[in-house]
Amino acid sequence: MEWGELVSLMKSKLGKPDKSLYEHSKNAEIIAEKLLDGLEIRDEVRSCLLKHVFLHDVGKLDDRFQEKLVGKRKSSPSHAFLGVELASRFLECEELLKKIALLSILTHHSDFHEGLFQNEIDEEEVLIVDGKVISEPANFVMELREWAGEIFGWNDRIGNYSTLDLRNLYTLFNGVLRLSDWMESSSLSPSIYFTDEGFVRGRVEDYLIGRGFRLREYQEFVIGKGHGYFLLPTGDGKTETSLLATPPGVRKIIYTLPTITTVEAMRKRFEAIFGRDNVSFGHSLIFYSLYKEGRLEEKIVNKYAMKGIHVSTIDQFLLAFLNHHKFSVKEFALRNSHWIIDEIHSYPPFTLALILSGIRYAVEYLGAKVTVMSATLPSPLREKLKDLGLREIIPFEKVRERYERKRRVRVKVFDCPVLDYIEEIADERGLVLVVVNTVSRAREVFRELKEKRDDVYLFHSRFTTSDREKKTKLVESLDSGILVATQVVEVSLDIDYDVLYTEVSPLDSLIQRFGRVNRRGRKDGRAYIFIPEGKRFYLPYDKKSVEVSMGLVKELESAESELEYLRLNDRFYEEIWDRYEGEIKRNILEREYLITIHRFGISDRLLSSRDTFITVPAIPKNFWESVVELAENWGKLSEEERVRGMVYVIENTVNVPIWVFNEHKIYDENVYSRFGVFGVDLDYNSEEGLLEGKEKEIIF
């Protein structure tokens, strides 16, 4: 077949129900070209990439696909499989680029794995056009699949390319292809994908002026200097400062946070600053968030960072580095972006090691500029950031006074458990915060206090999605009463309490808890620290972290400013840094994942970026029978009933610690295959959350 004949066929066949295959393909190529704006790409790579976008859907020429488009068939063989050999005849690129391009075409709807299209290969499916076989792709696909399996997964070089170079090329080709295909199909303009530093700076300055603020000296200083790190106390405008630091030449803002709650709050703030049309957001409950707002049609735009300013939980990008579903699209979003990492102090060693490796890859291969910030950035971590080429972009001397002037709480340490002070807590007035380290102990404290007064509330991470949302709103609206909580309050809530009663936790965690009290510095804040009790007193943290903190907390009593907190935090990290160093040296991301494109089976709901302990989404037994019934009757439900069913499952899901889950797991094949969740044989109530299944069981 000659080129002219292929183009004529594409013009005569449908690509979508309302347009020809040629029109869809040509439009996608034009969008792809615009998506490449601002990226430094060799001419031969650009040419090959654009040609492969044009050719990606030639498998739709197949008679069966054409019949499906007009409603004469319910299904047809995969067009990605059927068309890849035909596309190979017209791709005139150097051999390695050509194979990457063909691999991208083959996987533009399916992530790569060793058994990809095995059924089609076994059935020897062929491309049939106007009743004639014009391509027999089975052997070609098998050879391409074997080639990919051989070159990816080994830290080696192929000619002038390292394995990381090849991954980088693959995610470039496949990311552009998927995006241009989706944008063309949805009639989206590629202009929504970009922003620039001028727009960001102007909107941030207007936002601050509108709220009665002017730029502080350190904010003026940092303008355009992003790609580094800085420290700034809570309440001193870290977010706006990081945005003002956006350097010239970036195409996109990627702003990442630890939790869904912080993302939801930040994206509403960003919508106020930049306008909803310019902001997308992402986290594992994106379906639920958009459903509640009547915006389900925007799921792909938000999930895949298709707006110029994107705010997301960081695990969505770590999962991309781990080759999770459609990972090439997330990686493409990071290209020439300003990646802002907030609250970096809040991650445990394993996750922090992933983040540091991810930064190195994003800078070296994706051209990202990275800005890291925290109120408590320990010196060992600052050294690691310097090793990655990130510099201090606000000299600490410019903000030292901000720390020296703040002392929002006076600290007193007691050598006893918090349960010994129930009477004193119950006698407090105003807004009282009690933070303990496990859900089980929080429930115990809550029950004791509830016997003494009515305005006592419980908040932790083992509530259903629906109840947790309601409790978040309640907690943030309280003007008096007692909130008993776990470490879930450290970074996730916009709260300002009068007094804190807390168990000893790792020192940086304690400092975050202090930040929930007297946030604006206008009151006489108090913080009382107690010793956790029991044989496993340190849970859910590691024993050394809690023991080191217990040796330092007494010095908090004499701290005259938050500058002393930083010094103590440095001492704390110097004592425990070996745990972080061990994970960093393992370098699991670069050694096992970035050298391959094989899909990874981990779910985004199984990667916890806040807890040392992995959690599993599960349905408590109170709701289990209803979910089983939904799965059994799925085929009989209307589209609207299915949406409501999905929402019911999401609303009644609890993230359960893996070891508790293993003790109480309920499995149903229909439920798991339909919704991706298990059940747990544990009781649940809306006031206290997930309940222990047996005596002495501890839920974190």
Side-chain angles (χ1 to χ4, degrees), residues 315-354:
D315 60 4
Q316 297 296 299
F317 286 89
L318 297 183
L319 283 162
F321 296 142
L322 293 169
N323 302 349
H324 193 253
H325 193 48
K326 297 181 172 69
F327 63 92
S328 64
V329 182
K330 292 282 181 65
E331 280 199 19
F332 187 76
L334 285 169
R335 291 179 185 271
N336 279 38
S337 73
H338 184 205
W339 181 13
I340 300 171
I341 303 175
D342 198 357
E343 307 281 12
I344 196 169
H345 61 267
S346 64
Y347 299 103
F350 175 77
T351 307
L352 183 62
L354 292 181

mmCIF file of all heavy atoms in Angstrom, residues 315-354:
data_model
loop_
_atom_site.group_PDB
_atom_site.id
_atom_site.type_symbol
_atom_site.label_atom_id
_atom_site.label_comp_id
_atom_site.label_asym_id
_atom_site.label_seq_id
_atom_site.Cartn_x
_atom_site.Cartn_y
_atom_site.Cartn_z
ATOM 1 N N ASP A 315 1.025 11.213 45.768
ATOM 2 C CA ASP A 315 1.068 9.800 45.385
ATOM 3 C C ASP A 315 0.605 9.570 43.951
ATOM 4 O O ASP A 315 0.984 8.589 43.321
ATOM 5 C CB ASP A 315 0.298 8.915 46.368
ATOM 6 C CG ASP A 315 -1.177 9.252 46.495
ATOM 7 O OD1 ASP A 315 -1.655 10.145 45.765
ATOM 8 O OD2 ASP A 315 -1.846 8.627 47.337
ATOM 9 N N GLN A 316 -0.191 10.498 43.386
ATOM 10 C CA GLN A 316 -0.604 10.351 41.998
ATOM 11 C C GLN A 316 0.598 10.412 41.048
ATOM 12 O O GLN A 316 0.610 9.742 40.004
ATOM 13 C CB GLN A 316 -1.620 11.431 41.626
ATOM 14 C CG GLN A 316 -2.920 11.362 42.412
ATOM 15 C CD GLN A 316 -3.687 10.084 42.137
ATOM 16 O OE1 GLN A 316 -4.082 9.801 41.012
ATOM 17 N NE2 GLN A 316 -3.908 9.292 43.175
ATOM 18 N N PHE A 317 1.608 11.187 41.402
ATOM 19 C CA PHE A 317 2.811 11.275 40.562
ATOM 20 C C PHE A 317 3.834 10.200 40.938
ATOM 21 O O PHE A 317 4.539 9.678 40.063
ATOM 22 C CB PHE A 317 3.396 12.684 40.631
ATOM 23 C CG PHE A 317 2.571 13.667 39.855
ATOM 24 C CD1 PHE A 317 1.527 14.343 40.453
ATOM 25 C CD2 PHE A 317 2.785 13.862 38.498
ATOM 26 C CE1 PHE A 317 0.716 15.211 39.729
ATOM 27 C CE2 PHE A 317 1.984 14.718 37.756
ATOM 28 C CZ PHE A 317 0.949 15.400 38.373
ATOM 29 N N LEU A 318 3.897 9.838 42.213
ATOM 30 C CA LEU A 318 4.761 8.716 42.583
ATOM 31 C C LEU A 318 4.272 7.439 41.909
ATOM 32 O O LEU A 318 5.077 6.611 41.456
ATOM 33 C CB LEU A 318 4.785 8.539 44.109
ATOM 34 C CG LEU A 318 5.358 9.705 44.913
ATOM 35 C CD1 LEU A 318 5.392 9.350 46.395
ATOM 36 C CD2 LEU A 318 6.747 10.093 44.430
ATOM 37 N N LEU A 319 2.962 7.264 41.833
ATOM 38 C CA LEU A 319 2.408 6.098 41.151
ATOM 39 C C LEU A 319 2.769 6.095 39.668
ATOM 40 O O LEU A 319 2.983 5.037 39.075
ATOM 41 C CB LEU A 319 0.895 6.060 41.329
ATOM 42 C CG LEU A 319 0.414 5.583 42.703
ATOM 43 C CD1 LEU A 319 -1.029 5.991 42.940
ATOM 44 C CD2 LEU A 319 0.575 4.079 42.835
ATOM 45 N N ALA A 320 2.853 7.276 39.069
ATOM 46 C CA ALA A 320 3.286 7.340 37.667
ATOM 47 C C ALA A 320 4.714 6.835 37.536
ATOM 48 O O ALA A 320 5.035 6.075 36.608
ATOM 49 C CB ALA A 320 3.180 8.772 37.155
ATOM 50 N N PHE A 321 5.592 7.222 38.455
ATOM 51 C CA PHE A 321 6.972 6.728 38.425
ATOM 52 C C PHE A 321 7.022 5.225 38.665
ATOM 53 O O PHE A 321 7.978 4.552 38.263
ATOM 54 C CB PHE A 321 7.822 7.440 39.475
ATOM 55 C CG PHE A 321 7.970 8.920 39.247
ATOM 56 C CD1 PHE A 321 7.972 9.802 40.314
ATOM 57 C CD2 PHE A 321 8.097 9.442 37.974
ATOM 58 C CE1 PHE A 321 8.111 11.167 40.125
ATOM 59 C CE2 PHE A 321 8.232 10.808 37.762
ATOM 60 C CZ PHE A 321 8.239 11.671 38.842
ATOM 61 N N LEU A 322 5.983 4.680 39.333
ATOM 62 C CA LEU A 322 5.899 3.240 39.572
ATOM 63 C C LEU A 322 5.134 2.515 38.455
ATOM 64 O O LEU A 322 4.767 1.359 38.595
ATOM 65 C CB LEU A 322 5.195 2.980 40.914
ATOM 66 C CG LEU A 322 5.944 3.429 42.171
ATOM 67 C CD1 LEU A 322 5.030 3.359 43.391
ATOM 68 C CD2 LEU A 322 7.189 2.600 42.400
ATOM 69 N N ASN A 323 4.895 3.243 37.343
ATOM 70 C CA ASN A 323 4.265 2.660 36.145
ATOM 71 C C ASN A 323 2.802 2.294 36.363
ATOM 72 O O ASN A 323 2.296 1.328 35.775
ATOM 73 C CB ASN A 323 5.027 1.424 35.645
ATOM 74 C CG ASN A 323 6.465 1.736 35.330
ATOM 75 O OD1 ASN A 323 6.866 2.897 35.279
ATOM 76 N ND2 ASN A 323 7.262 0.703 35.137
ATOM 77 N N HIS A 324 2.125 3.080 37.188
ATOM 78 C CA HIS A 324 0.701 2.857 37.395
ATOM 79 C C HIS A 324 -0.081 3.313 36.169
ATOM 80 O O HIS A 324 0.444 4.000 35.302
ATOM 81 C CB HIS A 324 0.244 3.607 38.661
ATOM 82 C CG HIS A 324 -1.104 3.216 39.136
ATOM 83 N ND1 HIS A 324 -2.206 4.026 39.005
ATOM 84 C CD2 HIS A 324 -1.551 2.087 39.753
ATOM 85 C CE1 HIS A 324 -3.258 3.431 39.517
ATOM 86 N NE2 HIS A 324 -2.896 2.255 39.982
ATOM 87 N N HIS A 325 -1.349 2.964 36.118
ATOM 88 C CA HIS A 325 -2.254 3.140 34.984
ATOM 89 C C HIS A 325 -2.050 4.476 34.248
ATOM 90 O O HIS A 325 -2.131 5.546 34.834
ATOM 91 C CB HIS A 325 -3.684 3.037 35.508
ATOM 92 C CG HIS A 325 -4.719 2.899 34.458
ATOM 93 N ND1 HIS A 325 -4.635 1.997 33.419
ATOM 94 C CD2 HIS A 325 -5.895 3.555 34.267
ATOM 95 C CE1 HIS A 325 -5.695 2.095 32.666
ATOM 96 N NE2 HIS A 325 -6.476 3.035 33.148
ATOM 97 N N LYS A 326 -1.783 4.404 32.941
ATOM 98 C CA LYS A 326 -1.607 5.581 32.082
ATOM 99 C C LYS A 326 -0.518 6.526 32.603
ATOM 100 O O LYS A 326 -0.633 7.755 32.537
ATOM 101 C CB LYS A 326 -2.934 6.334 31.923
ATOM 102 C CG LYS A 326 -4.032 5.522 31.222
ATOM 103 C CD LYS A 326 -5.306 6.340 31.080
ATOM 104 C CE LYS A 326 -6.351 5.632 30.226
ATOM 105 N NZ LYS A 326 -6.921 4.446 30.873
ATOM 106 N N PHE A 327 0.569 5.945 33.086
ATOM 107 C CA PHE A 327 1.613 6.738 33.742
ATOM 108 C C PHE A 327 2.283 7.740 32.812
ATOM 109 O O PHE A 327 2.777 8.779 33.252
ATOM 110 C CB PHE A 327 2.664 5.811 34.367
ATOM 111 C CG PHE A 327 3.427 4.959 33.391
ATOM 112 C CD1 PHE A 327 4.626 5.385 32.858
ATOM 113 C CD2 PHE A 327 2.955 3.704 33.028
ATOM 114 C CE1 PHE A 327 5.344 4.600 31.972
ATOM 115 C CE2 PHE A 327 3.657 2.896 32.147
ATOM 116 C CZ PHE A 327 4.849 3.350 31.608
ATOM 117 N N SER A 328 2.293 7.455 31.515
ATOM 118 C CA SER A 328 2.982 8.358 30.593
ATOM 119 C C SER A 328 2.337 9.738 30.562
ATOM 120 O O SER A 328 3.009 10.744 30.320
ATOM 121 C CB SER A 328 2.996 7.766 29.178
ATOM 122 O OG SER A 328 1.680 7.641 28.674
ATOM 123 N N VAL A 329 1.032 9.811 30.810
ATOM 124 C CA VAL A 329 0.328 11.096 30.767
ATOM 125 C C VAL A 329 0.745 11.976 31.939
ATOM 126 O O VAL A 329 0.952 13.185 31.791
ATOM 127 C CB VAL A 329 -1.196 10.870 30.766
ATOM 128 C CG1 VAL A 329 -1.932 12.196 30.677
ATOM 129 C CG2 VAL A 329 -1.601 9.951 29.626
ATOM 130 N N LYS A 330 0.885 11.368 33.126
ATOM 131 C CA LYS A 330 1.328 12.124 34.304
ATOM 132 C C LYS A 330 2.775 12.580 34.121
ATOM 133 O O LYS A 330 3.142 13.695 34.497
ATOM 134 C CB LYS A 330 1.197 11.263 35.553
ATOM 135 C CG LYS A 330 -0.241 10.951 35.949
ATOM 136 C CD LYS A 330 -0.891 12.130 36.638
ATOM 137 C CE LYS A 330 -2.316 11.810 37.055
ATOM 138 N NZ LYS A 330 -2.400 10.768 38.076
ATOM 139 N N GLU A 331 3.607 11.711 33.577
ATOM 140 C CA GLU A 331 5.003 12.112 33.350
ATOM 141 C C GLU A 331 5.081 13.258 32.357
ATOM 142 O O GLU A 331 5.884 14.182 32.508
ATOM 143 C CB GLU A 331 5.837 10.925 32.866
ATOM 144 C CG GLU A 331 6.274 10.014 33.993
ATOM 145 C CD GLU A 331 7.452 9.126 33.618
ATOM 146 O OE1 GLU A 331 8.163 9.439 32.638
ATOM 147 O OE2 GLU A 331 7.659 8.122 34.312
ATOM 148 N N PHE A 332 4.240 13.223 31.325
ATOM 149 C CA PHE A 332 4.262 14.311 30.356
ATOM 150 C C PHE A 332 3.881 15.632 31.019
ATOM 151 O O PHE A 332 4.418 16.695 30.670
ATOM 152 C CB PHE A 332 3.329 14.025 29.183
ATOM 153 C CG PHE A 332 3.443 15.049 28.086
ATOM 154 C CD1 PHE A 332 4.530 15.043 27.219
ATOM 155 C CD2 PHE A 332 2.492 16.042 27.938
ATOM 156 C CE1 PHE A 332 4.658 16.007 26.223
ATOM 157 C CE2 PHE A 332 2.606 17.003 26.951
ATOM 158 C CZ PHE A 332 3.698 16.987 26.090
ATOM 159 N N ALA A 333 2.961 15.585 31.985
ATOM 160 C CA ALA A 333 2.550 16.809 32.687
ATOM 161 C C ALA A 333 3.729 17.457 33.415
ATOM 162 O O ALA A 333 3.767 18.681 33.584
ATOM 163 C CB ALA A 333 1.429 16.497 33.674
ATOM 164 N N LEU A 334 4.684 16.668 33.847
ATOM 165 C CA LEU A 334 5.835 17.205 34.573
ATOM 166 C C LEU A 334 6.880 17.828 33.650
ATOM 167 O O LEU A 334 7.769 18.544 34.119
ATOM 168 C CB LEU A 334 6.503 16.104 35.407
ATOM 169 C CG LEU A 334 5.763 15.691 36.689
ATOM 170 C CD1 LEU A 334 6.378 14.413 37.261
ATOM 171 C CD2 LEU A 334 5.792 16.807 37.721
ATOM 172 N N ARG A 335 6.795 17.593 32.359
ATOM 173 C CA ARG A 335 7.818 18.110 31.439
ATOM 174 C C ARG A 335 7.780 19.638 31.390
ATOM 175 O O ARG A 335 6.747 20.241 31.127
ATOM 176 C CB ARG A 335 7.625 17.525 30.039
ATOM 177 C CG ARG A 335 7.936 16.047 29.972
ATOM 178 C CD ARG A 335 7.715 15.466 28.589
ATOM 179 N NE ARG A 335 7.927 14.022 28.631
ATOM 180 C CZ ARG A 335 9.096 13.420 28.448
ATOM 181 N NH1 ARG A 335 10.172 14.146 28.185
ATOM 182 N NH2 ARG A 335 9.195 12.100 28.525
ATOM 183 N N ASN A 336 8.943 20.214 31.652
ATOM 184 C CA ASN A 336 9.088 21.681 31.677
ATOM 185 C C ASN A 336 8.060 22.348 32.603
ATOM 186 O O ASN A 336 7.596 23.448 32.336
ATOM 187 C CB ASN A 336 8.979 22.275 30.271
ATOM 188 C CG ASN A 336 10.288 22.152 29.505
ATOM 189 O OD1 ASN A 336 10.983 21.149 29.610
ATOM 190 N ND2 ASN A 336 10.617 23.168 28.730
ATOM 191 N N SER A 337 7.717 21.650 33.679
ATOM 192 C CA SER A 337 6.765 22.199 34.638
ATOM 193 C C SER A 337 7.513 22.825 35.818
ATOM 194 O O SER A 337 8.723 22.633 35.979
ATOM 195 C CB SER A 337 5.846 21.094 35.170
ATOM 196 O OG SER A 337 6.571 20.250 36.065
ATOM 197 N N HIS A 338 6.764 23.576 36.629
ATOM 198 C CA HIS A 338 7.247 23.977 37.946
ATOM 199 C C HIS A 338 6.546 23.065 38.946
ATOM 200 O O HIS A 338 5.364 23.234 39.227
ATOM 201 C CB HIS A 338 6.919 25.443 38.237
ATOM 202 C CG HIS A 338 7.467 25.936 39.537
ATOM 203 N ND1 HIS A 338 6.920 26.991 40.233
ATOM 204 C CD2 HIS A 338 8.541 25.533 40.266
ATOM 205 C CE1 HIS A 338 7.616 27.213 41.339
ATOM 206 N NE2 HIS A 338 8.603 26.337 41.376
ATOM 207 N N TRP A 339 7.275 22.069 39.446
ATOM 208 C CA TRP A 339 6.725 21.088 40.381
ATOM 209 C C TRP A 339 6.978 21.592 41.796
ATOM 210 O O TRP A 339 8.124 21.676 42.232
ATOM 211 C CB TRP A 339 7.377 19.730 40.143
ATOM 212 C CG TRP A 339 6.874 18.629 41.040
ATOM 213 C CD1 TRP A 339 5.768 18.641 41.831
ATOM 214 C CD2 TRP A 339 7.472 17.336 41.213
ATOM 215 N NE1 TRP A 339 5.634 17.450 42.495
ATOM 216 C CE2 TRP A 339 6.660 16.633 42.139
ATOM 217 C CE3 TRP A 339 8.605 16.715 40.680
ATOM 218 C CZ2 TRP A 339 6.965 15.322 42.533
ATOM 219 C CZ3 TRP A 339 8.900 15.412 41.087
ATOM 220 C CH2 TRP A 339 8.094 14.726 41.996
ATOM 221 N N ILE A 340 5.912 21.952 42.486
ATOM 222 C CA ILE A 340 6.001 22.465 43.854
ATOM 223 C C ILE A 340 5.604 21.349 44.816
ATOM 224 O O ILE A 340 4.523 20.764 44.698
ATOM 225 C CB ILE A 340 5.082 23.690 44.041
ATOM 226 C CG1 ILE A 340 5.488 24.807 43.066
ATOM 227 C CG2 ILE A 340 5.140 24.193 45.479
ATOM 228 C CD1 ILE A 340 4.510 25.970 43.028
ATOM 229 N N ILE A 341 6.480 21.035 45.757
ATOM 230 C CA ILE A 341 6.236 19.962 46.720
ATOM 231 C C ILE A 341 6.066 20.597 48.098
ATOM 232 O O ILE A 341 7.024 21.086 48.695
ATOM 233 C CB ILE A 341 7.393 18.940 46.730
ATOM 234 C CG1 ILE A 341 7.593 18.359 45.322
ATOM 235 C CG2 ILE A 341 7.108 17.827 47.736
ATOM 236 C CD1 ILE A 341 8.793 17.440 45.199
ATOM 237 N N ASP A 342 4.843 20.592 48.584
ATOM 238 C CA ASP A 342 4.510 21.192 49.874
ATOM 239 C C ASP A 342 4.507 20.119 50.962
ATOM 240 O O ASP A 342 4.289 18.943 50.676
ATOM 241 C CB ASP A 342 3.123 21.848 49.780
ATOM 242 C CG ASP A 342 2.872 22.847 50.894
ATOM 243 O OD1 ASP A 342 3.735 23.009 51.778
ATOM 244 O OD2 ASP A 342 1.788 23.476 50.894
ATOM 245 N N GLU A 343 4.741 20.540 52.195
ATOM 246 C CA GLU A 343 4.669 19.660 53.366
ATOM 247 C C GLU A 343 5.617 18.460 53.235
ATOM 248 O O GLU A 343 5.277 17.340 53.626
ATOM 249 C CB GLU A 343 3.227 19.154 53.571
ATOM 250 C CG GLU A 343 2.171 20.252 53.631
ATOM 251 C CD GLU A 343 2.099 20.965 54.976
ATOM 252 O OE1 GLU A 343 3.015 20.775 55.803
ATOM 253 O OE2 GLU A 343 1.144 21.718 55.191
ATOM 254 N N ILE A 344 6.804 18.674 52.728
ATOM 255 C CA ILE A 344 7.703 17.531 52.487
ATOM 256 C C ILE A 344 8.143 16.869 53.785
ATOM 257 O O ILE A 344 8.539 15.712 53.795
ATOM 258 C CB ILE A 344 8.930 17.960 51.642
ATOM 259 C CG1 ILE A 344 9.630 16.708 51.066
ATOM 260 C CG2 ILE A 344 9.879 18.831 52.464
ATOM 261 C CD1 ILE A 344 10.670 16.987 50.022
ATOM 262 N N HIS A 345 8.024 17.605 54.902
ATOM 263 C CA HIS A 345 8.404 17.039 56.191
ATOM 264 C C HIS A 345 7.486 15.895 56.614
ATOM 265 O O HIS A 345 7.823 15.145 57.531
ATOM 266 C CB HIS A 345 8.325 18.124 57.272
ATOM 267 C CG HIS A 345 6.944 18.681 57.418
ATOM 268 N ND1 HIS A 345 6.523 19.800 56.729
ATOM 269 C CD2 HIS A 345 5.862 18.241 58.115
ATOM 270 C CE1 HIS A 345 5.255 20.029 57.018
ATOM 271 N NE2 HIS A 345 4.834 19.106 57.852
ATOM 272 N N SER A 346 6.325 15.755 55.991
ATOM 273 C CA SER A 346 5.282 14.862 56.516
ATOM 274 C C SER A 346 5.392 13.424 56.023
ATOM 275 O O SER A 346 4.563 12.596 56.376
ATOM 276 C CB SER A 346 3.901 15.417 56.148
ATOM 277 O OG SER A 346 3.720 15.432 54.746
ATOM 278 N N TYR A 347 6.405 13.094 55.216
ATOM 279 C CA TYR A 347 6.460 11.772 54.612
ATOM 280 C C TYR A 347 7.412 10.840 55.352
ATOM 281 O O TYR A 347 8.506 11.244 55.751
ATOM 282 C CB TYR A 347 6.888 11.890 53.147
ATOM 283 C CG TYR A 347 5.929 12.711 52.330
ATOM 284 C CD1 TYR A 347 6.233 14.024 51.974
ATOM 285 C CD2 TYR A 347 4.700 12.193 51.949
ATOM 286 C CE1 TYR A 347 5.337 14.791 51.241
ATOM 287 C CE2 TYR A 347 3.795 12.951 51.220
ATOM 288 C CZ TYR A 347 4.123 14.244 50.865
ATOM 289 O OH TYR A 347 3.235 15.003 50.155
ATOM 290 N N PRO A 348 7.010 9.576 55.521
ATOM 291 C CA PRO A 348 7.898 8.582 56.145
ATOM 292 C C PRO A 348 9.052 8.215 55.209
ATOM 293 O O PRO A 348 9.037 8.575 54.027
ATOM 294 C CB PRO A 348 6.961 7.400 56.403
ATOM 295 C CG PRO A 348 5.877 7.538 55.389
ATOM 296 C CD PRO A 348 5.692 9.011 55.176
ATOM 297 N N PRO A 349 10.044 7.471 55.713
ATOM 298 C CA PRO A 349 11.274 7.209 54.935
ATOM 299 C C PRO A 349 11.049 6.608 53.558
ATOM 300 O O PRO A 349 11.653 7.057 52.583
ATOM 301 C CB PRO A 349 12.063 6.255 55.850
ATOM 302 C CG PRO A 349 11.637 6.638 57.227
ATOM 303 C CD PRO A 349 10.178 6.989 57.109
ATOM 304 N N PHE A 350 10.203 5.594 53.443
ATOM 305 C CA PHE A 350 10.010 4.951 52.145
ATOM 306 C C PHE A 350 9.485 5.942 51.117
ATOM 307 O O PHE A 350 9.986 6.034 49.994
ATOM 308 C CB PHE A 350 9.048 3.768 52.285
ATOM 309 C CG PHE A 350 8.689 3.112 50.975
ATOM 310 C CD1 PHE A 350 9.586 2.263 50.351
ATOM 311 C CD2 PHE A 350 7.468 3.346 50.369
ATOM 312 C CE1 PHE A 350 9.275 1.661 49.131
ATOM 313 C CE2 PHE A 350 7.139 2.752 49.156
ATOM 314 C CZ PHE A 350 8.048 1.911 48.547
ATOM 315 N N THR A 351 8.460 6.706 51.512
ATOM 316 C CA THR A 351 7.863 7.655 50.573
ATOM 317 C C THR A 351 8.813 8.790 50.256
ATOM 318 O O THR A 351 8.915 9.232 49.101
ATOM 319 C CB THR A 351 6.545 8.211 51.145
ATOM 320 O OG1 THR A 351 5.708 7.111 51.517
ATOM 321 C CG2 THR A 351 5.823 9.053 50.117
ATOM 322 N N LEU A 352 9.540 9.283 51.257
ATOM 323 C CA LEU A 352 10.492 10.368 51.005
ATOM 324 C C LEU A 352 11.577 9.914 50.033
ATOM 325 O O LEU A 352 11.990 10.679 49.146
ATOM 326 C CB LEU A 352 11.121 10.846 52.309
ATOM 327 C CG LEU A 352 12.083 12.023 52.159
ATOM 328 C CD1 LEU A 352 11.374 13.260 51.610
ATOM 329 C CD2 LEU A 352 12.762 12.359 53.481
ATOM 330 N N ALA A 353 12.018 8.676 50.167
ATOM 331 C CA ALA A 353 13.026 8.160 49.231
ATOM 332 C C ALA A 353 12.476 8.138 47.799
ATOM 333 O O ALA A 353 13.193 8.473 46.843
ATOM 334 C CB ALA A 353 13.464 6.761 49.656
ATOM 335 N N LEU A 354 11.210 7.751 47.639
ATOM 336 C CA LEU A 354 10.586 7.788 46.312
ATOM 337 C C LEU A 354 10.543 9.207 45.767
ATOM 338 O O LEU A 354 10.807 9.448 44.582
ATOM 339 C CB LEU A 354 9.163 7.227 46.372
ATOM 340 C CG LEU A 354 8.974 5.744 46.657
ATOM 341 C CD1 LEU A 354 7.486 5.412 46.648
ATOM 342 C CD2 LEU A 354 9.709 4.872 45.647
#
